[in-house]
Structures are given as C-alpha cells and as structure tokens.
C-alpha cells in the first residue's frame, strides 16, 4: 500500500491514546470557558415575535475534573485502574498487550506471579476480581502500613438499579509498585 492509496491504515493504540488526551485537554479548556459564563443567557427573539416572550437557555453543566499529583500513591493507583479498565473495557477491540504492559509497569514482579496463579485458580481477572469490566470506579486513600500504603478501590459493575460494588484494598510498596490486591483491608 502506498501513501496515496485510499485504503486507511489502522492507527496504533499509542497514537489513539495521544489523540484522546489532546482532545480531552482541548475539550476541558473549552468546556471550562463555557462553564464560566453566566448561569442563564437570554436567547434573542426575532423582531417579528412578541416582545414579551423571551427564551431562557439553561447553563451548561460544569465540566468534571480529575486532579493528580506525581508521586502520590492514590493518583498512581487511580492511573493504573483507569488505564487498565480502558484497555480491558473496549469490547470491540480490547488491548490485551496494553493490559499486560500495565501490569508489568505497576505491579511488583512477585505480586504479578502470585496474581497469575490466583487468576488460574479462580477463573477471573485478578486486578478487577471479576470476569467483566466495571462501569465506574473510585479510588481513596486508606492510610500507611509500615513502609507501604493502602488504597481502597471501589468498582461498580452494571448500571441503573442493577449495580454491584466490589471493594478492593490495594497495597502499594514504598517504591510505588502494587504489591497486593485483596478484598479485606490489612489494617
């Protein structure tokens, strides 16, 4: 296939992720500007219409924000879970290679081995403790444990009235690698 060929090459995951990040940052900036506008704006009514009638547009919802800090344990766990869920959750094209690379980057080698053994025994994804992918997740600090730190990850599966939550306790060693994921706190 040459450059002028009408056939399109499939973009790499890295390029798609980078484009998504650029788009998200761009949308965040433009949404922030519109959120700073007044609560209600009056729409102009054509001169032919009655002058006593005005249309009021509701204000746009404020944009959501996520704050992170380099080196902060909670941010690191949130980054891992967000990226891992995105890699696993693309039902049309899940990215198993990315999920594996994320495990290699974020988990201690010892825990990665134990996690694979746990998954073989239980038949589910050990990071999510489930066969499917959550629709929402929350990450909270749960305090220090010696030289480690515990973070609570709450995964919500399903939607509407049919939701189920799973609470996981993620232990992060002092060098910011995940060394355990459990369903009970170590506190």
């Amino acid at each position: 296939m040459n450059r002028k060929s009408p056939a399109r090459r499939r973009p790499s995951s890295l390029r798609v992720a980078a484009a998504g990040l650029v788009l998200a940052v761009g949308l965040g900036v433009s949404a922030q500007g519109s959120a700073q506008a007044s609560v209600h704006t009056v729409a102009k009514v054509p001169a032919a219409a009655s002058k006593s009638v005005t249309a009021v547009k509701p204000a746009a919802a404020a944009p959501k924000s996520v704050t992170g800090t380099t080196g902060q344990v909670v941010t690191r766990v949130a980054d891992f879970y967000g990226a891992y869920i995105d890699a696993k959750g693309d039902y049309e094209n899940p990215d198993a290679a990315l999920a594996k690379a994320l495990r290699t980057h974020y988990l201690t080698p010892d825990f990665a081995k134990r996690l694979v053994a746990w998954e073989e025994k239980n038949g589910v994804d050990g990071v999510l403790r489930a066969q499917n992918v959550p629709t929402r997740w929350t990450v909270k600090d749960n305090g220090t444990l010696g030289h480690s730190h515990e973070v609570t990850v709450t995964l919500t599966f399903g939607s509407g009235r049919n939701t189920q939550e799973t609470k996981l306790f993620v232990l992060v060693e002092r060098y910011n690698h995940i060394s355990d994921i459990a369903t009970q706190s170590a506190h």
Side-chain angles (χ1 to χ4, degrees):
M1 168 176 6
N2 65 34
R3 290 184 180 205
K4 295 181 182 180
S5 172
R8 299 178 73 178
R9 291 188 335 185
R10 186 175 170 162
S12 73
S13 296
L14 184 57
R15 280 187 279 156
V16 170
L21 179 60
V22 169
L23 180 60
V25 169
L27 287 175
V29 170
S30 66
Q32 183 179 16
S34 64
Q36 292 173 351
S38 65
V39 174
H40 285 77
T41 57
V42 178
K44 292 186 178 184
V45 179
S50 169
K51 293 186 183 210
S52 64
V53 176
T54 57
V56 178
K57 295 190 292 185
K64 293 181 180 183
S65 67
V66 175
T67 303
T69 303
T70 302
Q72 186 183 47
V73 175
V74 175
T75 300
R76 186 160 178 86
V77 172
D79 290 346
F80 169 64
Y81 269 87
Y84 190 81
I85 290 167
D86 284 348
K88 299 285 281 187
D90 185 354
Y91 293 108
E92 292 178 13
N93 191 23
D95 194 338
L98 176 58
K100 183 177 179 180
L102 289 166
R103 284 178 174 226
T104 300
H105 181 73
Y106 284 94
L107 308 181
T108 64
D110 176 58
F111 177 57
K113 289 177 190 173
R114 287 187 290 125
L115 191 61
V116 168
W118 185 94
E119 290 172 328
E120 288 173 0
K121 179 181 175 185
N122 292 283
V124 297
D125 185 289
V127 171
L128 304 174
R129 296 293 200 256
Q131 291 178 337
N132 54 354
V133 178
T135 54
R136 291 189 314 261
W137 61 96
T138 304
V139 179
K140 292 183 181 178
D141 190 345
N142 203 31
T144 58
L145 291 163
H147 293 294
S148 298
H149 205 95
E150 189 175 70
V151 177
T152 304
V153 177
T154 305
L155 304 174
T156 304
F157 296 89
S159 62
R161 292 184 196 189
N162 298 324
T163 61
Q164 179 181 351
E165 285 189 348
T166 299
K167 190 173 281 192
L168 302 175
F169 298 91
V170 178
L171 194 62
V172 180
E173 67 178 22
R174 67 180 178 179
Y175 299 110
N176 288 329
H177 285 88
I178 296 171
S179 58
D180 199 16
I181 299 173
T183 55
Q184 300 222 339
S185 174
H187 280 286

